Amino acid sequence: MTKGKVILTGNFGVGKTSLFNRFLYNEFGEKYLTTIGVKVGKKAVKVEEVEVTLLIWDLAGEISQDKVPNSYFLESSAVIYVFDLTRASTYSNLEFDLKYLREKVPGVILKLVGNKKDLISESELQTISENLYQKADLITSAKTGENVEDLFMDIARHLLEGKHS
Amino acid sequence: MSFSKDSIGNSEQLEQLRKILLKEDRAELLRIKKVLEEKEELGKHVSPIIEDHILSLKKNFPKEFEAVVDKQIENKLKASQDELVAILFPALGTMINKYVAYQMSELRESIDARINVTKNTGPIGWFRRNLLGIKDSEWILAKSGEANIEGMYVIEMGSGLLLGSASNVDTMDKDLLAGMLTAIQSFAEDAFMKGQQKVDIIEYDKLSIFTQSYPKFYIAVALNGRLTNSDKEKLSDALLSFVNENLNSIVIEKSNTIEAEIHDAINKRFFKNSETKDTQLILDND
Ligand SMILES: Nc1nc2c(ncn2[C@@H]2O[C@H](COP(=O)(O)OP(=O)(O)O)[C@@H](O)[C@H]2O)c(=O)[nH]1
Ligand SMILES: [Mg+2]
């Protein structure tokens, strides 16, 4: 069976826990219980009849990636870096954070995700996208569920193919 | 000053009374003025009242405001969980550290009272296991009477992915347990800043979980009781010989059936009635 450790990270309030909950329980809720700054969830998905189990670590938001305990990233298969489309401060440090993550977890599947799509217009999205340090892999809404399933399925597929991007 | 209705019969008396009253009023006014003008005097009068008030507040506060305050705190906590985590991060580390230290010392006290029987490794262990049919778990905990092995989990270092397991009870999701344990350990490692103390007992969902690390993986043993130091030593011994004799080769080979292999190996060595145990339990995860 294929298994992978997936880390959800990014600034405080960007919607990591909401994405986590949306994917794991298919609901949009506020339940969030944490003692050590991380919550682990599990989801088994099928990629062309093959089961892939994702163990998803929802990290409590830190302003900067280098403040997250190092060992949380160890041996992870994928890192999802989430930013908030409605708050520029959550994607103004993309360059630093992404470089940091690539260095910290070399060869990891790194997904850049812009969340809270439901709160902005198409033209706003256009403007933000054009000015991003790096093109986002997916634009999601934890509220409507748009692209959330796709995000994790993408990762499961990558894991199965043993392909890294 | 007291007088009856009858006594205010004539006006002269009344006039006198007026004087007296006025005089008393004046005196009272002067007294109040003096009190107000001199802070010290004022303090003498006000302090007892305030103190009384504080006392009564102290006494009645919990009763009267507990619910309100609790609700307030709860709301506040809910609203700022993430910030709280950031604040609690260092404090929590210290707490775990203290807790572990405390537990160590407490266990150390009881260890002297216990007889450390034979080793689990080597020919004696083999003899006991194979000829007498006494499983390691029974052996280790026979003297303890306090702890039972409920489950054993082999977990990949770092990723926290479960490589294989076997357990008596299946109350929790094994993958999640493996993940959470790893998170706790990672957290503790960071919090202790590579300290000398390693967390080897974690309390989780009414179970004590004993962990032992090897280069590529670690083993978590879930126990439904407390371990003494001498139990720990024996368990540690048993795990090491299990790793050397069985587990290492399985993990290194890492075949597609690794979960089942580990499951069987653990059952064979540690659990009674392993024949009747359903391996499906471990393999189907949802
Ligand atoms: N409208 C909208 N709100 C969202 C979305 N995702 C998260 N939120 C809200 O943003 C706030 C922070 O979300 P949370 O998941 O706790 O962020 P985290 O700190 O990254 O875990 C919460 O109030 C969520 O309800 C989204 O896609 N759309
Ligand atoms: Mg969160």
Side-chain angles (χ1 to χ4, degrees), chain A residues 3 13 18-19 21 69 109 113 141 164:
Chain A
K3 280 187 196 173
S18 304
L19 287 167
N21 287 343
I109 301 166
V113 171
S141 166
H164 292 175

Side-chain angles (χ1 to χ4, degrees), chain B residues 73-134:
Chain B
I73 291 176
E74 193 187 323
N75 289 343
K76 195 83 197 141
L77 286 179
K78 272 191 190 142
S80 53
Q81 278 165 343
D82 284 313
E83 293 102 305
L84 261 173
V85 168
I87 296 165
L88 286 177
F89 247 66
L92 218 73
T94 322
M95 267 162 58
I96 296 178
N97 216 345
K98 275 193 185 144
Y99 174 68
V100 171
Y102 167 75
Q103 206 172 39
M104 296 266 202
S105 74
E106 208 189 13
L107 287 175
R108 215 164 286 135
E109 276 175 31
S110 68
I111 187 181
D112 297 332
R114 278 165 197 280
I115 317 139
N116 206 342
V117 224
T118 348
K119 286 261 183 192
N120 299 288
T121 43
I124 297 168
W126 182 91
F127 180 81
R128 168 176 50 72
R129 270 194 304 275
N130 293 285
L131 297 181
L132 303 178
I134 302 170

Side-chain angles (χ1 to χ4, degrees), chain A residues 1 3-5 12 30 32 34-42 44 51 53 55 57 60-62 69-72 74-75, chain B residues 81-83 85 89 92 157-163 173 175-176 179-180 182-184 186-187 189-190 256 259 283 285-286:
Chain A
M1 200 209 313
K3 280 187 196 173
K5 172 182 176 184
F12 170 68
E30 301 290 274
Y32 188 34
T34 176
T35 41
I36 53 164
V38 61
K39 184 166 125 183
V40 182
K42 171 185 161 178
E51 193 169 90
T53 303
L55 270 303
W57 292 40
E62 292 282 348
N70 259 334
S71 35
Y72 286 176
L74 284 177
E75 303 294 322
Chain B
Q81 278 165 343
D82 284 313
E83 293 102 305
V85 168
F89 247 66
L92 218 73
M157 209 56 111
S159 74
L161 298 175
L162 185 72
L163 296 172
D173 186 292
D175 287 315
L176 281 181
M180 274 321 288
T182 308
I184 292 169
S186 306
F187 168 76
E189 252 163 52
D190 276 53
N256 283 335
E259 285 200 47
L283 295 177
N285 283 319
D286 209 318

Side-chain angles (χ1 to χ4, degrees), chain B residues 34-47:
Chain B
K34 185 166 169 264
V35 166
L36 284 176
E37 272 166 2
E38 291 171 35
K39 268 190 202 153
E40 234 171 83
E41 275 290 307
L42 184 66
K44 263 192 227 154
H45 287 82
V46 176
S47 300

Side-chain angles (χ1 to χ4, degrees), chain A residues 13-18 28 30 115-116 118-119 141-143, chain B residues 82:
Chain A
V14 296
K16 299 177 294 292
T17 302
S18 304
F28 184 74
E30 301 290 274
N115 186 44
K116 304 196 188 178
D118 60 289
L119 293 179
S141 166
K143 185 167 192 175
Chain B
D82 284 313

